[in-house]
Amino acid sequence: MTFVVAPPATAGETQARALVNSADAAQHIAEGSLTDAPLGRVGLEIEAHCFDRADLQRRPGWQQITDVIAGLPTLPGGSAVTVEPGGAVELSGPPFEGAPAAIAAMAADRAVLDVAFDAAGLGLALLGADPLRRPQRVNPGPRYQAMEQFFAASGTGEAGAAMMTSTASIQVNLDAGPRAGWGARVRLAHALGPTMIAISANSPLRGGQFTGWASSRQQVWGQLDSARCGPILGHSTDDPAAEWARYALKAPVMLVRDGAEATPVLDWVPFAEWADGSIPLGGRRPTTADLDYHLTTLFPPVRPRRWLEIRYLDSLPDTLWPAVAHTMTTLLDDPVAADLAAEAVEPVATAWDTAARAGLADRHLRESAVRCLEIAAERAPGELIGSMQLLVDLVAQARSPGDQFSDTAVRLGIDAAIADLWQER
């Protein structure tokens, strides 16, 4: 999702400049991390796994998917369409004032996308992890080739491949808000993580097997190195811009770009060492463009991109993602709701692994989830009451969306459960 901000510099643009040292890099990161602005704008991104409806084991090829996208009409909600490494299709919506407008626009774009892919014999499945196929990259982009090599060299090749090609999410993007409230806002965005993971868990299977985790997507992300994918909070939670700078400079460089080429960095080189000249990657010192690109290779659960990008939610069915998007927005943007939510999630604010593994089977997470949904449901506009009620009723039974998919998979088989996702529309 792209808020209206100046795009980061690229290697060939005149605004890129050489970095003096790591302190210079830290200042560049901190200055661009969050934008001091009123709350209100909401943007959504939704990823969906792409299947050949005649052969669910086969991944549609890059050309087949991009041909469908090339033939799309103008999307009514203004979303951009991109393809993830494993062929998942992502809609990235522009920012709207308030969650209802963002949800309505995304729903309209989802409908157009589904029709186009259905006509091509393809289906888009809204699940947090691919329940059937093994990881396989179909996107030929040099970025993803380099990422594969980086993960393999760092000892996380299997998890890296699964993350890139077998996981999908819904991302909620919110304004950073006034500077004085950044610390509390970023803390709450993190503290909500375990509860919202439990609520949205929708990936009980991966690669044809039940994993034993409520969110197999989050399980995969947890297997990657925390320097790149862990929470950013640490030393100074009252200054998230500085904390993001520290996090980014400690994180290892994944790749070095030279024009359209991308060379993986196969040794562990924190960006700070490159910036300070200790290790001249690519035979040179880094520029601000290299630093801006480095930030795009970091995947914490809450990522500062001038706005806040909430990255920890599983992809969800069309009946439920509007409720989750409303809940996430309400608990962060409504000041009364935020205070109530902070109190509700405090006992489970760091229970990331428990949320991913046990989900709502954990009593403390279930209590937090019920309370958070109660807070959000009380503030739901009329057009979202139906979706909210479905989610409230589901969680009241200590069930997540993934439990519903599991039931169908056990009863009819995984293939039929996937096909059932399209028949529900």
Side-chain angles (χ1 to χ4, degrees):
M1 194 276 300
T2 302
F3 276 94
V4 183
V5 296
T10 58
E13 293 178 333
T14 57
Q15 61 263 43
R17 62 171 180 82
L19 291 165
V20 177
N21 52 31
S22 59
D24 184 23
Q27 182 175 356
H28 180 80
I29 296 168
E31 289 176 348
S33 63
L34 298 171
T35 297
D36 186 357
L39 298 176
R41 294 186 305 166
V42 180
L44 301 175
E45 302 178 40
I46 295 183
E47 298 168 339
H49 302 284
C50 185
F51 286 88
D52 181 338
R53 296 181 66 168
D55 181 2
L56 296 180
Q57 290 281 358
R58 186 185 79 85
R59 285 183 185 268
W62 173 253
Q63 193 63 52
Q64 185 179 12
I65 296 172
T66 54
D67 282 348
V68 177
I69 293 173
L72 288 172
T74 300
L75 296 181
S79 294
V81 188
T82 54
V83 183
E84 295 298 301
V89 180
E90 179 178 29
L91 285 174
S92 300
F96 289 86
E97 288 297 325
I103 290 167
M106 180 57 68
D109 289 351
R110 281 268 313 125
V112 173
L113 197 71
D114 279 341
V115 168
F117 274 79
D118 285 349
L122 304 176
L124 298 177
L126 294 169
L127 292 163
D130 188 326
L132 189 62
R133 303 168 299 189
R134 297 290 299 166
Q136 178 188 352
R137 179 172 58 84
V138 301
N139 188 323
R143 170 184 170 99
Y144 301 120
Q145 295 179 42
M147 288 177 71
E148 278 184 339
Q149 296 174 63
F150 172 88
F151 285 126
S154 66
T156 57
E158 183 177 347
M163 178 273 283
M164 289 195 295
T165 70
S166 298
T167 64
S169 70
I170 171 174
Q171 293 175 196
V172 179
N173 301 280
L174 304 172
D175 280 312
R179 182 183 300 271
W182 285 354
R185 186 164 171 76
V186 172
R187 283 195 300 274
L188 179 57
H190 283 82
L192 285 166
T195 297
M196 294 304 299
I197 287 169
I199 288 171
S200 68
N202 190 35
S203 47
L205 294 99
R206 185 165 65 84
Q209 301 290 328
F210 282 97
T211 65
W213 289 64
S215 175
S216 300
R217 174 187 177 274
Q218 193 66 23
Q219 177 198 21
V220 166
W221 282 90
Q223 292 170 345
L224 297 169
D225 67 87
S226 60
R228 169 164 266 105
C229 301
I232 65 171
L233 291 181
H235 297 88
S236 177
T237 57
D238 288 327
D239 188 356
E243 192 65 33
W244 175 229
R246 275 189 286 268
Y247 181 103
L249 291 176
K250 288 181 179 179
V253 180
M254 176 177 279
L255 58 90
V256 175
R257 294 188 304 164
D258 182 10
E261 299 301 314
T263 302
V265 179
L266 302 183
D267 295 318
W268 189 276
V269 181
F271 194 95
E273 293 189 12
W274 189 17
D276 284 330
S278 303
I279 302 178
L281 298 176
R284 62 180 177 80
R285 297 285 288 273
T287 67
T288 52
D290 292 311
L291 179 52
D292 289 333
Y293 193 81
H294 172 65
L295 299 180
T296 74
T297 70
L298 308 180
F299 310 109
V302 180
R303 183 164 66 174
R305 296 188 61 191
R306 298 188 184 272
W307 58 92
L308 294 183
E309 183 181 72
I310 311 298
R311 302 178 49 85
Y312 46 64
L313 303 167
D314 278 10
S315 192
L316 292 161
D318 286 315
T319 53
L320 294 176
W321 68 253
V324 168
H326 163 74
T327 298
M328 196 81 250
T329 303
T330 300
L331 299 185
L332 279 165
D333 280 8
D334 182 303
V336 175
D339 287 343
L340 294 171
E343 180 180 0
V345 303
E346 194 276 333
V348 292
T350 60
W352 295 88
D353 286 346
T354 301
R357 184 179 61 255
L360 295 170
D362 179 86
R363 176 174 62 85
H364 302 292
L365 283 164
R366 184 167 65 253
E367 291 173 354
S368 174
V370 168
R371 178 58 179 141
C372 283
L373 290 181
E374 179 183 64
I375 294 165
E378 290 173 350
R379 293 161 173 79
E383 63 268 34
L384 294 178
I385 288 176
S387 182
M388 278 302 308
Q389 193 61 55
L390 288 174
L391 187 60
V392 167
D393 291 345
L394 190 64
V395 171
Q397 302 170 54
R399 288 171 58 81
S400 71
D403 291 321
Q404 296 180 310
F405 183 80
S406 294
D407 290 347
T408 307
V410 169
R411 188 174 72 254
L412 302 175
I414 300 174
D415 286 36
I418 295 171
D420 192 58
L421 297 175
W422 301 313
Q423 293 166 5
E424 289 176 356
R425 291 200 297 265

